[in-house]
Amino acid sequence: MARYTEFGVGGSDPGSGLGASAAPRAVFEPGASRSDSDKRSGSDNTTNGTTSDAATADPDVSPIDAFARAWAVALSAAAATPLGFDQALRVVTPLAEQVVALPDDPELARKIGVQAAGALIDAHCFQGACVAVTVEVLDRHLPPYLRPETSSALRAGLASAFAEGLRERTRAEQASIHEAVLTAYRAGEARFRTVFRNAALGIVITDKHGQVLEVNPALAEMLGVDAYAARGRTIRNLIDPTEPGEYWRGYNALLAGEQTEAEADTRIRRVDGGVVWTHVRTTAVRDDGGEVALVIALHEDVTERRRATDQLRHQATHDALTGLPNRVRLLDAVEELLRCAGPEDRLGLCFLDLDGFKGVNDTLGHQAGDELLTVIAHRLSAATDPRRHVVARMGGDEFVILFRRTQGAQSVFPVIEKVLDAVRQPVMLDGHSVTVTASAGLVERPAAAASATELLRAADITLYWAKSAGKADFALFDEDRNAREVHRYALAQALPAALESGEMFLDYQPIVSLSGGRPPSVEALVRWRHPERGLLKPEEFIPVAEETGAIVELGRWVLDRAVHDASSWPDGPAVAVNVAVRQVHDYGLVREVATALEASGLPPRRLCLEITETALMDTDDGLPGPGTLRTLADMGIGIAVDDFGTGYSNLARLRHLPATSLKIDASFVADLGSPDAGGFAESVITSLVVLAHAAGMTVTAEGIETADQAERLTALGVDYGQGFYYSRPVSAGDIQAVLARLVTKA
């Protein structure tokens, strides 16, 4: 201990410091004229020595070459160490090739970012400016098809790898200097004093109690104090006590003799209030008895690097246009919230999307659209509390609000209503007052039952519900509704394969004459025997087939199977087959019907095609596919209008239809005999019978379940009936026996 107190190694000599960075140089590409270079410094240029992308306008320059040249010029100007254009070009060209050919894969993008960081460090581009210009050039040359999360992954890989690379380089440099200090100490007082005073790194020596014995000029300059004034203070007076615990854990372990070395990043508070970040490597020097006598700490000023890394990390986790957190940062915030949540804690996530944003871009231009997004971002931030909410932009016109520590869905509603009201306030864009609205989907649940990806998926689904319900409002996630939609989606995916695997089959239900006699026809009804869900009702999968377009293929299969079955019934009834709206619009329907009849040998008179009344309302000027329906009718095929009375169609159209039959919806039959609706149902049925007969059509009533209903319908003039009263649907092999029984019953 006495040996150090005798040194007097402090003093006011400034030391060599870390070396000043060279100012950015104006670097010109080989062969470029001064005028060409001047163009690069025009108003379209970015800062930090980057250039405009004028080269991309040259048809002789490929996108990869233009990218690599712009990147090389930017790096050669930003690097503090000499880095010529040719050397920079060799470094970045392979990376530019990978970026231009980058598929929309976030994981691969992150790997390329890591490679880019490694290439920069290997080329001695350690300055933050090199990273900043790299990000700027990347943003201008990224493929336009990349999703925001892919671009963010590229930046995140660059940021994390650059920070880790610098950290490894710092460790290596400090290890070398650290070894030099200890060697000088062991070699003798004079040599140690020379190393101590002239070291580029800051050095502080403390005793085993943490009292400062010596501070070298380099560290004194970092602290902004006189080296002598630092003596006698404790190390905690020099190092900000709010520092990350890693530094203090290592330091305390040294004093306790648990380890001999430690290193960490730490924050030093200067006397003028400024902050300096340093990377510290600390060593305990033991006396002859093995006890800790001194602690020597070497500090390298990494403030600039940390600032550059933080800036890059901010760019990787924040939206460049609005400054809001992006998808990457939002997911991090959600994951952090879930990790820290208690068993009773709840949280919420709201997906918000502007209504009609595309119209703003199309009419006022993308610049106006960007300005609108910036305004909306500010309004969302102003309408929320940063202590309780995180507002993020997912991309395009989609925003997300994360709600911390909610108290049930009702506690979130006022904030969402405030946000939607803020969005709909007029915005001046390019001299025009523009008003837009937003739709939002909210999911709110216990944190213990949540995951980041599931929250986003649920909120996104709920946003779609809000859009479908009329927009300019918000919807709350409903677990039961979601389960139904997941079920429907699964059916939609399985439906095409079900047609090929034999899971679909047909049953047939008789259509009887209310005046007696042999039933003239049967209706083909499709069924699905699902391998996991059992027998599915038509109402479960027919709407799904209509939404997905699979109804055309399903309808074609039903037609082929029905006419094939009907052809096996000698002198049998006609078969009625339902035809979807999409099939009516399909010009190939006539050909498909003709092919099916020819293949089966079934006469056209024994086929009736049923179209729903809603199909008649699908156009403003005439019937859907009128030519198709007329052609089918001229072939001798019956045309029936199904479920009539539910679509509020123009009754005057009946006389223009090439139809032979009208089927009254089962809801009117069910109301017969009801004290409240019976009179109305009878009036409607009577009117329809009169109109249909006047148009030359027969009338069939669906859904007859009782003898009383059958008698009433007969009295009202209905021609035919269909329902469980006569028979439930049966297989093709059983239909003949059912028809024979009905003849006997009549």
Side-chain angles (χ1 to χ4, degrees):
M1 177 68 67
R3 181 177 183 180
Y4 275 97
T5 57
E6 296 170 356
F7 274 166
V9 293
S12 58
D13 291 349
S16 60
L18 293 177
S21 298
R25 305 178 309 281
V27 177
F28 306 104
E29 301 176 32
S33 67
R34 173 62 61 178
S35 59
D36 291 335
S37 302
D38 290 342
K39 291 177 181 178
R40 295 192 187 97
S41 63
S43 60
D44 290 336
N45 292 355
T46 55
T47 58
N48 297 319
T50 61
T51 69
S52 69
D53 294 327
T56 60
D58 187 344
D60 296 329
V61 179
S62 70
I64 294 176
D65 289 341
F67 182 12
R69 290 163 69 87
W71 195 353
V73 170
L75 279 181
S76 58
T81 56
L83 183 68
F85 170 80
D86 291 338
Q87 181 183 353
L89 189 61
R90 287 193 296 272
V91 171
V92 301
T93 295
L95 299 169
E97 292 174 351
Q98 294 186 64
V99 172
V100 172
L102 177 63
D104 193 17
D105 182 346
E107 184 59 31
L108 181 58
R110 182 180 293 275
K111 292 179 180 179
I112 292 177
V114 171
Q115 292 180 17
L120 291 179
I121 293 175
D122 290 343
H124 300 282
C125 296
F126 306 115
Q127 293 71 33
C130 294
V131 183
V133 298
T134 292
V135 172
E136 292 169 359
V137 175
L138 280 174
D139 284 344
R140 295 202 302 275
H141 292 85
L142 286 178
Y145 53 79
L146 296 184
R147 292 171 294 161
E149 50 264 43
T150 303
S151 303
S152 296
L154 177 65
R155 299 188 192 95
L158 180 65
S160 59
F162 187 78
E164 182 60 28
L166 290 181
R167 192 174 298 115
E168 290 298 326
R169 175 178 173 272
T170 299
R171 289 193 185 105
E173 291 178 346
Q174 285 200 349
S176 176
I177 298 176
H178 181 265
E179 185 61 29
V181 170
L182 292 182
T183 300
Y185 162 68
R186 297 186 183 102
E189 176 181 328
R191 184 174 178 183
F192 180 77
R193 183 185 301 111
T194 301
V195 173
F196 185 81
R197 291 169 60 88
N198 299 320
L201 300 183
I203 304 175
V204 58
I205 302 172
T206 64
D207 63 17
K208 63 181 180 180
H209 303 294
Q211 184 175 7
V212 176
L213 302 177
E214 296 288 346
V215 171
N216 78 334
L219 184 59
E221 185 176 355
M222 292 183 198
L223 298 174
V225 299
D226 182 86
Y228 291 105
R231 294 179 180 179
R233 298 171 62 179
T234 65
I235 191 66
R236 289 183 180 272
N237 294 137
L238 295 179
I239 307 301
D240 190 334
T242 62
E243 246 330 274
E246 181 185 2
Y247 172 80
W248 291 118
R249 283 193 297 270
Y251 189 84
N252 291 333
L254 289 175
L255 296 182
E258 298 172 358
Q259 60 190 61
T260 58
E261 290 186 358
E263 61 179 308
D265 282 356
T266 188
R267 182 173 56 192
I268 299 176
R269 181 75 65 182
R270 288 173 52 88
V271 294
D272 59 7
V275 172
V276 177
W277 278 94
T278 67
H279 185 76
V280 189
R281 186 182 182 93
T282 311
T283 298
V285 178
R286 302 179 182 276
D287 58 22
D288 295 338
E291 297 294 325
V292 175
L294 302 173
V295 176
I296 302 176
L298 279 67
H299 293 255
E300 180 182 11
D301 189 342
V302 294
T303 305
E304 181 181 349
R305 295 178 189 173
R306 190 178 183 97
R307 185 181 298 116
T309 303
D310 290 345
Q311 180 183 4
L312 185 59
R313 185 178 294 111
H314 183 275
Q315 291 173 333
T317 58
H318 287 73
D319 176 51
L321 176 65
T322 63
L324 293 177
N326 61 12
R327 182 186 183 90
V328 174
R329 180 67 189 94
L330 175 72
L331 289 175
D332 288 345
V334 175
E335 295 287 0
E336 181 181 359
L337 184 59
L338 294 177
R339 284 194 301 269
C340 301
E344 303 299 322
D345 290 336
R346 301 177 67 89
L347 78 165
L349 197 74
C350 177
F351 228 113
L352 184 141
D353 180 89
L354 301 185
D355 303 323
F357 176 71
K358 184 177 183 298
V360 176
N361 276 339
D362 292 344
T363 56
L364 299 180
H366 288 272
Q367 183 174 354
D370 288 348
E371 184 179 349
L372 174 61
L373 292 174
T374 303
V375 171
I376 295 301
H378 290 161
R379 290 181 178 180
L380 296 182
S381 298
T384 53
D385 184 348
R387 296 169 299 178
R388 295 184 296 169
H389 312 129
V390 176
V391 180
R393 183 189 176 205
M394 301 298 284
D397 60 332
E398 294 181 340
F399 298 85
V400 170
I401 304 174
L402 170 65
F403 295 86
R404 300 186 177 102
R405 305 293 187 267
T406 59
Q407 303 297 322
Q410 296 288 339
S411 67
V412 181
F413 291 171
V415 178
I416 298 180
E417 290 170 351
K418 181 180 179 182
V419 164
L420 295 182
D421 184 63
V423 170
R424 68 170 57 97
Q425 301 305 311
V427 181
M428 291 300 298
L429 299 176
D430 195 21
H432 300 273
S433 178
V434 176
T435 300
V436 296
T437 60
S439 301
L442 169 66
V443 56
E444 194 276 344
R445 61 178 52 169
S451 72
T453 54
E454 176 58 24
L455 283 169
L456 283 175
R457 188 194 69 83
D460 196 14
I461 290 172
T462 314
L463 171 62
Y464 173 78
W465 296 347
K467 290 278 191 181
S468 302
K471 303 181 180 180
D473 205 347
F474 71 93
L476 179 64
F477 181 74
D478 183 337
E479 199 69 58
D480 292 337
R481 179 177 177 179
N482 179 61
R484 292 193 299 270
E485 295 203 353
V486 170
H487 172 68
R488 286 167 63 88
Y489 177 78
L491 293 182
Q493 297 300 306
L495 205 157
L499 291 173
E500 299 178 1
S501 62
E503 297 172 16
M504 297 289 181
F505 66 95
L506 295 182
D507 278 343
Y508 297 90
Q509 187 174 40
I511 299 175
V512 304
S513 172
L514 296 185
S515 60
R518 185 176 179 82
S521 61
V522 297
E523 181 178 359
L525 302 170
V526 64
R527 302 287 189 261
W528 186 355
R529 188 177 289 108
H530 195 281
E532 298 175 357
R533 296 180 173 87
L535 187 63
L536 300 179
K537 300 176 182 179
E539 54 266 29
E540 290 186 74
F541 63 88
I542 292 297
V544 175
E546 290 176 337
E547 292 174 6
T548 61
I551 192 66
V552 174
E553 184 66 25
L554 177 60
R556 186 180 299 118
W557 180 89
V558 171
L559 174 66
D560 290 342
R561 173 57 60 181
V563 298
H564 177 271
D565 288 345
S567 66
S568 67
W569 304 327
D571 298 325
V575 62
V577 177
N578 290 281
V579 179
V581 176
R582 292 197 184 200
Q583 290 177 276
V584 176
H585 282 289
D586 190 345
Y587 290 107
L589 179 61
V590 173
R591 182 181 67 256
E592 292 169 3
V593 172
T595 300
L597 291 175
E598 182 179 357
S600 65
L602 187 72
R605 60 179 175 78
R606 289 184 57 194
L607 175 63
C608 177
L609 301 180
E610 296 187 358
I611 61 173
T612 61
E613 182 196 5
T614 53
L616 307 179
M617 302 181 63
D618 203 38
T619 181
D620 294 329
D621 46 72
L623 300 176
T628 300
L629 297 178
R630 176 60 62 187
T631 300
L632 292 169
D634 291 343
M635 292 169 58
I637 297 170
I639 304 294
V641 182
D642 197 11
D643 297 332
F644 199 87
T646 61
Y648 307 101
S649 63
N650 187 346
L651 298 180
R653 289 183 173 182
L654 285 176
R655 64 187 182 90
H656 299 297
L657 286 172
T660 56
S661 177
L662 184 150
K663 300 186 74 172
I664 299 175
D665 186 71
S667 60
F668 294 104
V669 176
D671 285 340
L672 290 176
S674 169
D676 299 325
F680 174 76
E682 288 194 5
S683 298
V684 171
I685 293 172
T686 300
S687 300
L688 295 179
V689 168
V690 171
L691 288 170
H693 287 171
M697 302 180 192
T698 61
V699 178
T700 301
E702 298 179 298
I704 301 175
E705 297 187 356
T706 66
D708 180 63
Q709 290 173 341
E711 292 173 1
R712 285 175 176 268
L713 291 167
T714 302
L716 294 174
V718 175
D719 303 295
Y720 301 101
Q722 176 182 358
F724 289 172
Y725 173 66
Y726 301 105
S727 173
R728 290 182 175 275
V730 297
S731 67
D734 295 334
I735 192 64
Q736 291 282 45
V738 171
L739 295 179
R741 176 180 59 79
L742 291 174
V743 171
T744 303
K745 179 179 179 180

